[in-house]
């Protein structure tokens, strides 16, 4: 199959050849018309000159006044014949003919025709008109001009002068004209061929040798791939201009219509800009409220660098799921502790019964009945009647105790209803409490974390405070992208991040905002005061079916 570039070359050459041929024909026709016009004008000017000669006018008037026909012998060597022959010789005219008012030839190149009537019409000339035309006479076809002769101004014509040029002499210059046109046409075709070859080389260089049919397939495949995958794809050429950006990349990176713009002109996250500049791989970045995974790869074709392609993957949901799984793990750990403690109590009761100490076993069971379920050793946990929150905070308290941090429930805690959004509540609360525990560990003794839980209809309001050193540096936005994932506080004294990857707080805020709530900094702390964070999670609590306020129950 003929390559497209070759077909393009042939089509362009055929087009240019056709255009040049049309132009050559037009210029040739115009040249012929110009030669005809020049010969007609020359014949007319010569005829006028002869007709205005006073000697010619007087002699023609004499012949016209004579009613008889002049003898041919008298005309052969007559003055008019000499004038006509002399003019014809000087101007290379085919003939110069002079007639009287009856059309009788008084001068003619063929002397045998003298004294005879001319073979072409002369009536219009004797009426005072000048006639220029191509006619066929006794000497063949010629370009001729006929001019009336006047004996005196204002009188009727007494004869005519007819001057003609042979066709061959008229088109003497035509071969040279046609040759010039042919050379110009050939030069134009040659230049067109050269330009087409250069265009072909430029075209194949720009397309990297890929033919249009292959380009169509590439575009179709690109559209299918870019629109058919959930990952974002961003392609930047060697000049730093964005050439490809699918809708997923636009959405995740927050880049509306970036095509054709330079990367340094776009309002793009600094982590993304560094990834593109450094061709980095396995880069994690927080862009807005999303956690993204960036992988930049250079593109090279025939040892020619073409730019870089960045694959953007959204890990927000994965990180959120990891937080929720952590909540489930904490709950599971709490249940394991409760099961272990309950088994220990059953062993005690079983031992007392086996020892025939039934009274002591009954007393032990009565004490357990009064104490309630297995406790976690967390101060104020009885203020939280919800089973999920009790288990979650209890398990967290056990983990905090291992680090030397006391977890307690604030006095103003009031929970009415049952938590129905356990995953989101556990992820948000777990992240805030986990950051607070880390900050407290980095602080001075005593180390503590205080949690306040309030309900407002179906909305759960959380407050988490700690004994750490506060947010360092003060005034830093812990939710800002690239600010470090660290939350609240002290980022340890060496300014390292509290959280490993720094996605906890942005994810917590994202989870809360998806439900119409928010996570914010109540107090950045500093000095001897730790940071205080607040969270509001709508539609997280089911309305109580009975009076669930433990303090109200105590009053009753």
């Amino acid at each position: 199959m003929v390559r497209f570039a070759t077909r393009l070359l042939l089509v362009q050459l055929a087009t240019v050849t056709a255009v040049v041929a049309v132009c050559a024909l037009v210029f040739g026709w115009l040249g012929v018309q110009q030669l005809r016009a020049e010969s007609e004008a020359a014949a007319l000017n010569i005829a006028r000159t002869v007709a205005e000669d006073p000697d010619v006018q007087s002699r023609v008037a004499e012949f016209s006044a004579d009613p008889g026909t002049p003898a041919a012998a008298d005309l052969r060597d007559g003055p008019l014949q000499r004038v006509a022959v002399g003019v014809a010789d000087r101007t290379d005219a085919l003939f110069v003919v002079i007639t009287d008012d009856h059309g009788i030839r008084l001068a003619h190149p063929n002397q045998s025709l003298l004294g005879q009537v001319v073979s072409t019409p002369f009536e219009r000339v004797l009426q005072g008109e000048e006639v220029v035309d191509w006619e066929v006479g006794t000497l063949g076809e010629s370009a001729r001009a006929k001019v009336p002769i006047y004996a005196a101004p204002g009188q009727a014509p007494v004869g005519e002068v007819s001057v003609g040029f042979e066709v061959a002499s008229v088109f003497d210059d035509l071969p040279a004209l046609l040759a010039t046109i042919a050379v110009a046409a050939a030069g134009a075709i040659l230049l067109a061929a050269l330009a087409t070859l250069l265009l072909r080389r430029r075209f194949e260089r720009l397309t990297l040798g890929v033919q249009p049919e292959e380009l169509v397939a590439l575009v179709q495949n690109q559209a299918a791939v870019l629109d058919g995958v959930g990952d974002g794809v961003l392609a930047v050429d060697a000049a730093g201009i964005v050439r490809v950006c699918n809708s997923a990349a636009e959405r995740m990176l927050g880049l509306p219509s970036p095509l054709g713009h330079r990367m340094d002109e776009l309002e793009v996250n600094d982590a993304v800009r560094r990834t593109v500049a450094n061709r980095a791989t396995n880069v994690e970045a927080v862009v807005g409220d999303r956690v993204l995974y960036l992988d930049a790869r250079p593109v090279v074709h025939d040892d020619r660098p073409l730019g870089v392609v960045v694959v953007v993957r959204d890990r927000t949901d994965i990180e959120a799921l990891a937080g929720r799984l952590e909540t489930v793990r904490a709950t599971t750990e709490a249940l394991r502790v409760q099961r272990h403690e309950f088994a220990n109590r059953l062993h005690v009761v079983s031992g007392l019964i086996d020892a025939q100490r039934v009274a002591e076993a009954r007393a032990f069971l009565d004490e357990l009945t009064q104490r309630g379920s297995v406790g976690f050793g967390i101060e104020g946990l009885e203020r939280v009647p919800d089973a999920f929150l009790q288990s979650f905070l209890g398990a967290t308290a056990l983990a905090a105790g291992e680090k030397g941090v006391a977890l307690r429930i604030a006095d103003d805690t009031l929970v009415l209803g049952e938590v129905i959004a356990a995953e989101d509540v556990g992820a948000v609360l777990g992240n805030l409490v986990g950051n607070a525990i880390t900050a407290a560990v980095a602080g001075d003794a005593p180390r503590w974390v205080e949690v306040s839980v309030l309900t407002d209809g179906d909305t759960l309001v959380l407050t988490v405070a700690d004994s750490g050193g506060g947010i360092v540096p003060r005034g830093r936005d812990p939710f800002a992208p690239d600010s470090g994932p660290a939350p609240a506080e002290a980022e340890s004294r060496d300014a390292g991040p509290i959280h490993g990857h720094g996605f906890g707080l942005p994810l917590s805020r994202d989870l809360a905002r998806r439900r119409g709530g928010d996570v914010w900094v109540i107090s950045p702390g500093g000095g001897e005061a730790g940071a205080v964070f607040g969270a509001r999670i709508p539609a997280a609590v089911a309305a109580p079916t009975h009076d669930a306020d433990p303090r109200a129950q105590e009053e009753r």
Side-chain angles (χ1 to χ4, degrees):
M1 185 178 66
V2 181
R3 294 170 61 88
F4 173 80
T6 303
R7 295 201 306 269
L8 179 63
L9 173 64
L10 296 177
V11 170
Q12 287 183 329
L13 286 178
T15 302
V16 172
T17 302
V19 171
V20 170
V22 171
C23 293
L25 291 176
V26 171
F27 280 113
W29 181 80
L30 292 176
V32 170
Q33 297 302 316
Q34 183 178 3
L35 291 176
R36 289 171 59 97
E38 290 178 355
S39 62
E40 292 171 355
L44 180 60
N45 291 331
I46 295 172
R48 287 175 177 172
T49 302
V50 175
E52 293 174 357
D53 186 341
D55 187 41
V56 172
Q57 290 176 345
S58 61
R59 292 186 180 280
V60 171
E62 292 177 359
F63 283 107
S64 297
D66 185 358
T69 300
D74 297 335
L75 298 175
R76 288 189 183 98
D77 297 324
L80 294 178
Q81 179 69 9
R82 291 194 297 270
V83 170
V85 171
V87 171
D89 292 339
R90 291 193 302 271
T91 59
D92 294 328
L94 175 63
F95 61 84
V96 175
V97 178
I98 302 174
T99 69
D100 60 10
D101 56 354
H102 296 290
I104 303 299
R105 298 185 180 97
L106 304 179
H108 194 278
N110 189 350
Q111 296 183 1
S112 61
L113 298 178
L114 292 174
Q116 299 180 14
V117 178
V118 295
S119 59
T120 57
F122 57 89
E123 291 79 6
R124 292 174 53 192
V125 179
L126 294 180
Q127 293 175 0
E129 298 182 21
E130 292 181 345
V131 178
V132 179
D133 201 357
W134 288 68
E135 294 180 335
V136 179
T138 57
L139 299 178
E141 184 179 8
S142 61
R144 62 185 65 190
K146 300 177 181 180
V147 176
I149 300 174
Y150 296 95
Q155 296 182 359
V158 295
E160 69 169 0
V161 176
S162 178
V163 178
F165 286 93
E166 187 180 7
V167 174
S169 64
V170 171
F171 297 112
D172 283 343
D173 297 332
L174 185 59
L177 177 62
L178 294 179
T180 302
I181 294 175
V183 170
I189 294 175
L190 181 61
L191 289 177
L194 179 61
T196 303
L197 289 174
L198 295 177
L199 182 62
R200 174 185 176 181
R201 292 185 57 185
R202 177 64 174 171
F203 175 81
E204 292 191 341
R205 181 180 179 185
L206 290 177
T207 61
L208 304 178
V210 180
Q211 299 302 300
E213 297 83 358
E214 299 171 331
L215 288 176
V216 172
L218 287 176
V219 171
Q220 293 174 342
N221 294 337
Q222 173 183 301
V225 171
L226 294 182
D227 297 335
V229 298
D231 295 340
V233 178
L234 177 70
V236 182
D237 65 11
I241 300 175
V242 177
R243 295 303 182 186
V244 176
C245 186
N246 64 353
S247 57
E250 291 182 5
R251 182 183 68 256
M252 288 187 282
L253 298 178
L255 298 176
S257 302
L259 295 181
H261 296 280
R262 297 181 59 85
M263 281 294 296
D264 52 10
E265 297 175 352
L266 299 174
E267 296 181 0
V268 67
N269 185 277
D270 290 339
V272 179
R273 199 186 306 277
R274 289 194 299 269
T275 300
V276 175
N278 300 330
R279 273 57 169 173
T281 58
N282 303 326
V283 177
E284 293 178 332
V286 178
V287 179
D289 57 357
R290 313 201 69 80
V291 178
L292 303 180
Y293 178 87
L294 307 177
D295 191 3
R297 301 286 182 180
V299 180
V300 179
H301 182 79
D302 292 337
D303 298 328
R304 174 186 173 189
L306 302 180
V308 61
V309 173
V310 182
V311 178
V312 185
R313 299 181 179 90
D314 192 347
R315 294 189 56 185
T316 305
D317 295 335
I318 297 177
E319 294 292 338
L321 180 60
R324 292 169 178 171
L325 290 177
E326 180 64 22
T327 301
V328 175
R329 187 201 62 78
T331 305
T332 303
E333 180 66 18
L335 294 176
R336 185 192 65 78
V337 172
Q338 286 187 338
R339 183 195 63 79
H340 180 73
E341 182 67 20
F342 187 73
N344 291 337
R345 293 178 180 182
L346 289 180
H347 285 309
V348 173
V349 173
S350 177
L352 290 174
I353 294 176
D354 291 341
Q356 302 297 322
R357 300 167 62 178
V358 176
E360 294 181 10
R362 185 179 296 279
F364 183 72
L365 289 175
D366 290 340
E367 182 183 356
L368 292 182
T369 302
Q370 293 177 0
R371 286 168 56 187
S373 60
V374 178
F376 290 99
I378 176 173
E379 181 181 349
L381 187 60
E382 69 278 0
R383 302 187 183 96
V384 185
D386 180 75
F388 167 75
L389 290 177
Q390 277 195 356
S391 301
F392 182 78
L393 292 174
T396 305
L398 292 176
E402 295 176 354
K403 299 180 180 180
V405 178
L407 179 64
R408 65 193 185 199
I409 306 300
D411 295 338
D412 59 353
T413 294
L414 178 60
V415 179
L416 301 178
E418 179 182 357
V419 174
I420 57 176
E423 293 181 352
D424 289 345
V425 171
V428 175
L429 180 59
N431 180 262
L432 294 180
V433 174
N435 290 340
I437 292 173
T438 305
V441 170
D444 299 327
R447 300 182 178 92
W448 53 265
V449 173
E450 185 176 81
V451 179
S452 175
V453 185
L454 299 172
T455 55
D456 180 11
D458 66 349
T459 301
L460 189 67
V461 180
L462 307 172
T463 303
V464 179
D466 61 73
S467 61
I471 298 176
V472 179
R474 290 178 59 83
R476 178 180 67 87
D477 182 6
F479 300 99
D482 294 330
S483 63
E489 7 286 311
E491 300 191 339
S492 73
R493 300 289 174 85
D494 59 356
I498 288 178
H499 240 340
H501 297 290
F503 301 144
L505 282 179
L507 279 175
S508 298
R509 171 177 279 183
D510 180 52
L511 290 174
R513 287 181 174 179
R514 290 183 185 183
R515 305 183 67 91
D518 202 358
V519 176
W520 67 95
V521 179
I522 297 176
S523 172
E528 298 181 357
V532 182
F533 278 77
R536 183 171 56 85
I537 309 175
V541 181
T545 57
H546 55 81
D547 191 354
D549 185 358
R551 289 178 290 188
Q553 293 177 355
E554 291 176 0
E555 292 176 359
R556 288 198 298 268

